[in-house]
Amino acid sequence: MNRTPLRTKDAMSQHSTDPAPAPASTSALATVARHRDWWREAVIYQVYPRSFADSNGDGMGDLEGVRSRLPYLRDLGVDAVWLSPFYASPQADAGYDVADYRAVDPMFGNLLDADALIRDAHELGLRIIVDLVPNHSSDQHEWFKRALAEGPGSPLRDRYHFRPGKGASGELPPNDWESIFGGPAWTRVTEPDGTPGEWYLHLFAPEQPDFNWDHPAVGDEFRSILRFWLDMGVDGFRIDVAHGLVKAEGLPDLGSHEQVKLLGNDVMPFFDQDGVHAIYRQWRTVLDEYAGARIFVAEAWTPTIERTANYVRSDELHQAFNFQYLSTHWDAAELRACIDRTLDAMRPVGAPATWVLSNHDVTRHATRFANPAGLGTQIRTAGDRDLGLRRARAATLLMLALPGSAYIYQGEELGLPDVVDLADEVRQDPAYFRGEGQDGFRDGCRVPIPWTRTGSSYGFGAGGSWLPQPAEWAELSIEAQTGAEGSTLELYRSALAVRCEQPDLGAGDRVEWLKAPEGVLAFRRGEFACTANTGSDAVTVPAYGRVLLTSGEVTVTDEGEAKLPADTTVWWTTG
């Protein structure tokens, strides 16, 4: 499978301001060629910068903190690091309200820190993917501030969705769209003369006005932003709200309330409009000008995996998050159906499947699986933590055995649960304070991760942490788990090493399902096999060869059978 990390700079890491590289040797060119499609089988680690590592003791993670911990990620065995936003921002939505797309927010550092992080990552054989937020800006973006200051008729207002209100004096919103964070998706402005004026659209917080992608200046600006970061050396972009850029012509009423509950069930007039694909085809031409196999990853919430596949056609984006898989219960029949449908949808467009269990917007899967099925992806109760961890470990081995690319959210390799008992006064998720829309419990998965058994923030930094960490996290820390037999961290390290070594793991587009008892998934990929028991009772299954790795205790008999405990996955090889 040839996924050994690059140890020297190649086209992947060449900064635009570097001197021209010396002619590559034949072996170097062969190495680059082997990595050209690296993203088809990559394991990508999501770093939430404010919660990863704090270098200056202010309680907030930063880019220098991330940079200092890159060797840990290299040793963990991941291929790339995806950084959540670190751009200049008022932080109304944890950086997803961007005021300047070409600047680093001082809380995270500066552009020199970003440059050093990218260079160090490349020296370690890690690629860097950065978040891009094209659906909306901050209300402190220079365009929006000028649009407000210049009043009705300002050309800058055409770059957003400004509309007159309905009603006798324009006192009602222009349509019935609701914000994902709760309440109307429109806010009325006070004009420069002090009178109530036009309304502007914001599908998220009022501090996040939506761009009008029908205006050519918006497209021009974002192609320039792409080039800025590509010239800095980044290896790709994760596109936030990739499904939301284009709105239906005329901004028609939806005609229903509690619209957030409809998301994912149908094409909405503000989400998953077909016009977004023309934008991504233009972006792809920009990306393809750069050497080193740079990629786009879509955060695209769509009604079906088949519509998700539209985003990864050969002339558009490279990957799209598989939210259908993330939302699937720990149930063999449901998982198999989702796996089959995903592979069937991606195969015609030639794109790899992606698999993900946790991220910065949903309850960690160690807690989701600790609770009964059907509670959604934002859960307020701890549940049975032992059960949750057992299922989380098994689910991870299942995910990493599937063909395609996998995503790991920081701290899941430690088996971290969500922190479900944060006090109201420490919460910072803006949706939590709105009372409608999303549940607003995302803070629980954003608590800074523990590095050591001791310290004011368990090694996160010298000055505490911006969200409080539970005391029991000391024994879940990287220090506590490193070298500890059976720890979740060592399970992840072993799994990623085996995945790298086994030629039948990683890229591909199909599995061979094997006969298995009810509640068990069993499949083969060449000389590799995987069995996962999602049931509550132990089962006996065939031993498909030599055990490579297990998430729990597995007993293999001399008769060629294996006793597979509940909520356990085992990897086999016949080679």
Side-chain angles (χ1 to χ4, degrees):
M1 192 163 56
N2 298 319
R3 293 176 61 246
T4 304
L6 297 176
R7 297 301 182 196
T8 58
K9 285 193 174 185
D10 59 13
M12 172 190 84
S13 57
Q14 187 64 39
H15 192 292
S16 65
T17 59
D18 286 344
S25 66
T26 301
S27 60
L29 289 173
T31 299
V32 173
R34 287 200 303 270
H35 289 77
R36 189 167 291 131
D37 290 338
W38 65 273
W39 46 276
R40 290 187 172 276
E41 57 186 346
V43 177
I44 300 174
Y45 186 99
Q46 181 188 359
V47 164
Y48 194 67
R50 63 177 57 212
S51 298
F52 192 67
D54 171 20
S55 71
N56 60 9
D58 65 355
M60 188 68 65
D62 46 47
L63 294 185
E64 183 58 30
V66 177
R67 182 186 176 203
S68 71
R69 298 296 191 177
L70 288 174
Y72 164 76
L73 297 178
R74 184 267 319 272
D75 295 342
L76 182 62
V78 300
D79 299 290
V81 179
W82 153 35
L83 297 166
S84 291
F86 51 79
Y87 306 112
S89 166
Q91 304 296 321
D93 184 26
Y96 283 93
D97 51 317
V98 181
D100 188 343
Y101 290 85
R102 297 178 182 84
V104 174
D105 194 280
M107 71 187 297
F108 296 123
N110 55 46
L111 282 174
L112 291 177
D113 295 322
D115 181 78
L117 189 160
I118 294 166
R119 289 175 176 273
D120 280 9
H122 289 166
E123 291 289 352
L124 292 169
L126 295 167
R127 290 173 166 85
I128 294 293
I129 296 169
V130 297
D131 237 309
L132 189 66
V133 188
N135 178 70
H136 48 261
S137 74
S138 165
D139 62 353
Q140 298 304 302
H141 190 284
E142 191 61 31
W143 284 5
F144 193 78
K145 290 196 297 183
R146 286 175 54 195
L148 292 182
E150 293 174 5
S154 167
L156 272 297
R157 292 201 176 190
D158 292 338
R159 300 181 185 186
Y160 295 91
H161 293 280
F162 278 87
R163 296 288 189 277
K166 294 180 179 179
S169 57
E171 73 277 8
L172 300 176
N175 68 18
D176 66 357
W177 294 359
E178 297 172 359
S179 166
I180 306 303
F181 285 171
W186 296 89
T187 289
R188 195 176 194 184
V189 306
T190 299
E191 301 297 356
D193 64 2
T195 62
E198 295 182 311
W199 298 70
Y200 68 89
L201 176 69
H202 53 87
L203 292 179
F204 295 89
E207 297 89 349
Q208 296 169 290
D210 280 43
F211 284 116
N212 175 15
W213 274 87
D214 290 332
H215 196 293
V218 177
D220 291 345
E221 172 68 354
F222 272 90
R223 287 191 294 273
S224 174
I225 292 167
L226 291 176
R227 293 184 187 281
F228 178 88
W229 289 102
L230 290 167
D231 288 343
M232 282 277 286
V234 304
D235 302 289
F237 301 88
R238 176 264 192 187
I239 305 168
D240 183 63
V241 195
H243 53 298
L245 278 56
V246 172
K247 279 65 175 178
E249 185 176 357
L251 309 184
D253 283 340
L254 191 56
S256 62
H257 297 289
E258 296 187 318
Q259 294 169 13
V260 70
K261 296 181 179 179
L262 302 177
L263 298 180
N265 297 313
D266 201 357
V267 176
M268 311 286 272
F270 47 78
F271 279 165
D272 198 28
Q273 293 291 303
D274 290 338
V276 299
H277 300 290
I279 296 169
Y280 298 136
R281 285 191 288 271
Q282 292 177 352
W283 286 15
R284 183 61 178 266
T285 63
V286 172
L287 198 72
D288 287 347
E289 295 172 10
Y290 288 79
R294 322 289 179 101
I295 69 166
F296 287 122
V297 183
E299 182 208 29
W301 290 87
T302 67
T304 66
I305 191 66
E306 289 79 13
R307 287 197 67 86
T308 301
N310 292 336
Y311 290 78
V312 289
R313 289 174 287 201
S314 61
D315 60 346
E316 295 187 42
L317 311 179
H318 297 78
Q319 291 184 352
F321 287 125
N322 190 345
F323 293 116
Q324 283 82 5
Y325 188 76
L326 183 150
S327 303
T328 299
H329 303 145
W330 181 240
D331 175 88
E334 291 186 36
L335 287 164
R336 176 168 174 171
C338 183
I339 293 166
D340 281 341
R341 192 165 185 179
T342 297
L343 295 174
D344 288 346
M346 295 299 151
R347 198 174 297 120
V349 296
T354 66
W355 315 100
V356 61
L357 292 167
S358 290
N359 64 35
H360 66 290
D361 279 334
V362 301
T363 298
R364 289 180 178 276
H365 61 282
T367 296
R368 289 205 318 277
F369 292 151
N371 281 274
L375 298 183
T377 58
Q378 288 189 356
I379 297 174
R380 310 180 188 186
T381 56
D384 183 336
R385 288 193 172 180
D386 289 339
L387 174 66
L389 179 59
R390 191 164 64 247
R391 288 177 170 178
R393 289 163 57 96
T396 294
L397 287 195
L398 173 62
M399 176 184 78
L400 292 175
L402 296 171
S405 180
Y407 283 78
I408 294 172
Y409 177 52
Q410 64 175 45
E412 72 172 69
E413 77 274 18
L414 306 178
L416 294 184
D418 250 50
V419 181
V420 298
D421 57 355
L422 290 169
D424 290 356
E425 58 267 24
V426 304
R427 290 189 178 275
Q428 299 193 34
D429 184 350
Y432 181 76
F433 302 98
R434 301 185 190 280
E436 298 179 49
Q438 289 187 336
D439 290 338
F441 282 82
R442 297 177 299 176
D443 288 321
C445 67
R446 298 176 178 182
V447 174
I449 66 174
W451 292 88
T452 60
R453 284 188 170 99
T454 59
S456 67
S457 60
Y458 304 111
F460 167 69
S465 63
W466 67 283
L467 285 171
Q469 302 152 301
E472 58 267 26
W473 278 22
E475 293 307 313
L476 295 178
S477 66
I478 291 158
E479 178 186 35
Q481 295 199 42
T482 295
E485 184 177 355
S487 73
T488 301
L489 176 57
E490 293 301 339
L491 176 68
Y492 271 72
R493 286 173 171 164
S494 297
L496 294 178
V498 171
R499 180 181 164 100
C500 193
E501 294 163 359
Q502 288 293 312
D504 292 312
L505 282 174
D509 63 5
R510 62 189 70 238
V511 299
E512 175 192 351
W513 292 108
L514 304 171
K515 185 177 179 180
E518 184 178 357
V520 176
L521 290 172
F523 60 86
R524 189 190 305 277
R525 299 184 62 202
E527 295 182 344
F528 171 86
C530 175
T531 51
N533 181 9
T534 69
S536 56
D537 298 311
V539 296
T540 299
V541 298
Y544 290 104
R546 177 173 56 89
V547 173
L548 287 171
L549 192 63
T550 72
S551 67
E553 295 293 331
V554 173
T555 303
V556 180
T557 69
D558 293 337
E559 290 74 31
E561 293 183 330
K563 186 173 183 180
L564 194 60
D567 304 312
T568 302
T569 298
V570 58
W571 287 1
W572 314 85
T573 181
T574 60

